[in-house]
Amino acid sequence: MALCSSFWVLLITYMLIGISTNSAADLSAKFYDKSCPKALRTIRKTVEDAVSNEARMGASLLRLHFHDCFVLGCDASVLLDDTANFTGEKKSFPNANSLRGFEVIDNIKSQLENMCPKVVSCADILTLAARDAVAALGGQRWNVLLGRRDSTTASLDISNSDLPGPSLDLDALIPAFAKKNFTAAEMVTLSGAHTIGEIRCRFFRSRIYNETNIEPKFAKAMQALCPFEGGDDDLSPFDSTTPNNFDNAFYANLVKNKGLVHSDQQLFANATSSTSSQVRTYSRNMGRFKKDFADAMFKMTMLAPLTGSDGQIRTNCRFVNAA
């Protein structure tokens, strides 16, 4: 299928404003057509099977991609395990005992190494897996340019500092996304990823017990799932309406003051703000949200990819290749 004209408009725009530190010309939608023609099909099938087995895995793969790209760019640095001589990103505060889906990526990589050794990068696998996971739960697919290479390093410090957390106010969320070249509107759009997935009690307890801009019956229902003391790791869905469907219910919940975490409800904390207006629009127009989300995710995939002779093609996504 030919790429649509709006895709090329987005690509040129992102190149002009410097989304990538490397030339996007090194990436191509057809990068593996000859070198590993069954790669995309294999990735999609494995992701669809994983999501069918556990719907939550769709959100986990999307989050894994987000936490990768927001640190050093979309370079699979988040997948690296710690070793005696290397510190990765998995033990940062936002990631420790939280990120999931590594086994799905391992499974895909193993299949592709048997099929096409040393050809398909972990960074491309992760980028495609996020797209396919969203599609498996009803979201819109987005175009992905391929040819990324894998990093040989990681940054625990940036992982701790640059990933926006659930307690942030709006005036902190906007610059956190702006640091990665996303507008405030794109921040609202990307926050819609919380229409799927779950979060631990410890990260929303303060909101459901202490905040006033929360619908009382919703707060009471959430308190039954997250006690005032204990149960820190008990899970609840971000979107209590349709937790396993990629739709616009997340925004409809915000309009009703049913956002589960503080940072989400901040998008609709002031009914006259620009973000609140966008939330209302998305709550009424699912098609608009899905299209905007696909566009914003394409932009995310272009965050500082390693291409050409930079990086490497890891044979095991958890470790840098031996010299």
Side-chain angles (χ1 to χ4, degrees):
M1 181 181 294
L3 299 181
C4 62
S5 59
S6 61
F7 162 77
W8 291 110
V9 172
L10 286 168
L11 175 58
I12 293 170
T13 300
Y14 300 157
M15 290 172 67
L16 289 174
I17 65 176
I19 293 300
S20 171
T21 59
N22 295 280
S23 173
D26 290 332
L27 302 177
S28 167
K30 299 182 178 181
F31 191 84
Y32 298 113
D33 280 8
K34 293 183 178 179
S35 59
C36 195
K38 295 182 180 179
L40 273 66
R41 188 188 322 162
T42 300
I43 294 169
R44 182 188 298 190
K45 176 64 165 57
T46 306
V47 168
E48 289 175 345
D49 288 347
V51 174
S52 177
N53 184 59
E54 181 197 10
R56 182 187 172 205
M57 186 54 68
S60 296
L61 291 170
L62 176 59
R63 185 166 181 257
L64 199 56
H65 176 53
F66 180 99
H67 282 222
D68 181 42
C69 295
F70 255 56
V71 178
L72 295 171
C74 304
D75 61 359
S77 61
V78 75
L79 301 178
L80 290 168
D81 282 351
D82 289 356
T83 69
N85 303 310
F86 177 87
T87 301
E89 299 163 15
K90 289 183 177 180
K91 292 182 181 178
S92 69
F93 179 74
N95 293 344
N97 302 314
S98 176
L99 283 185
R100 307 170 69 247
F102 298 109
E103 294 79 9
V104 176
I105 303 301
D106 290 340
N107 182 8
I108 293 169
K109 182 61 174 174
S110 178
Q111 293 181 65
L112 295 181
E113 282 300 304
N114 287 331
M115 188 182 302
C116 320
K118 301 179 182 179
V119 170
V120 183
S121 70
C122 301
D124 277 345
I125 292 171
L126 191 51
T127 303
L128 287 164
R131 189 269 306 272
D132 294 342
V134 168
L137 293 174
Q140 179 173 314
R141 300 177 68 82
W142 54 87
N143 294 294
V144 175
L145 298 182
L146 302 167
R148 292 166 193 77
R149 291 169 65 84
D150 301 322
S151 69
T152 58
T153 187
S155 177
L156 182 68
D157 289 342
I158 296 176
S159 184
N160 276 318
S161 66
D162 284 18
L163 290 167
S167 64
L168 293 186
D169 291 331
L170 186 61
D171 61 2
L173 285 168
I174 291 174
F177 279 78
K179 189 173 183 179
K180 307 301 176 181
N181 285 313
F182 289 108
T183 65
E186 289 167 334
M187 179 271 294
V188 175
T189 303
L190 290 170
S191 296
H194 286 173
T195 193
I196 54 176
E198 299 178 343
I199 187 168
R200 287 180 285 173
C201 166
R202 61 182 292 197
F203 293 117
F204 64 87
R205 178 183 284 118
S206 179
R207 169 157 168 74
I208 63 174
Y209 284 99
N210 300 324
E211 297 187 12
T212 57
N213 62 335
I214 186 168
E215 200 280 324
K217 291 183 179 178
F218 173 72
K220 187 174 182 179
M222 292 300 101
Q223 289 169 8
L225 300 175
C226 178
F228 189 75
E229 294 183 349
D232 282 4
D233 293 330
D234 292 349
L235 295 167
S236 291
F238 285 102
D239 168 14
S240 58
T241 307
T242 54
N244 295 323
N245 294 332
F246 197 92
D247 56 23
N248 62 339
F250 167 77
Y251 297 101
N253 290 338
L254 297 184
V255 172
K256 299 172 184 176
N257 283 335
K258 293 183 178 181
L260 184 59
V261 299
H262 177 83
S263 59
D264 286 344
Q265 194 60 54
Q266 282 286 292
L267 305 181
F268 198 77
N270 181 345
T272 62
S273 71
S274 60
T275 60
S276 291
S277 174
Q278 188 177 350
V279 168
R280 283 194 184 278
T281 296
Y282 285 161
S283 73
R284 297 167 178 167
N285 190 332
M286 181 158 60
R288 171 73 179 276
F289 161 59
K290 288 186 177 182
K291 180 186 181 302
D292 287 354
F293 188 84
D295 288 344
M297 285 303 301
F298 170 75
K299 181 174 177 177
M300 184 180 291
T301 70
M302 302 301 290
L303 289 175
L306 298 174
T307 60
S309 60
D310 293 334
Q312 61 182 213
I313 306 297
R314 289 188 224 135
T315 56
N316 181 331
C317 292
R318 293 175 180 263
F319 302 102
V320 174
N321 295 342

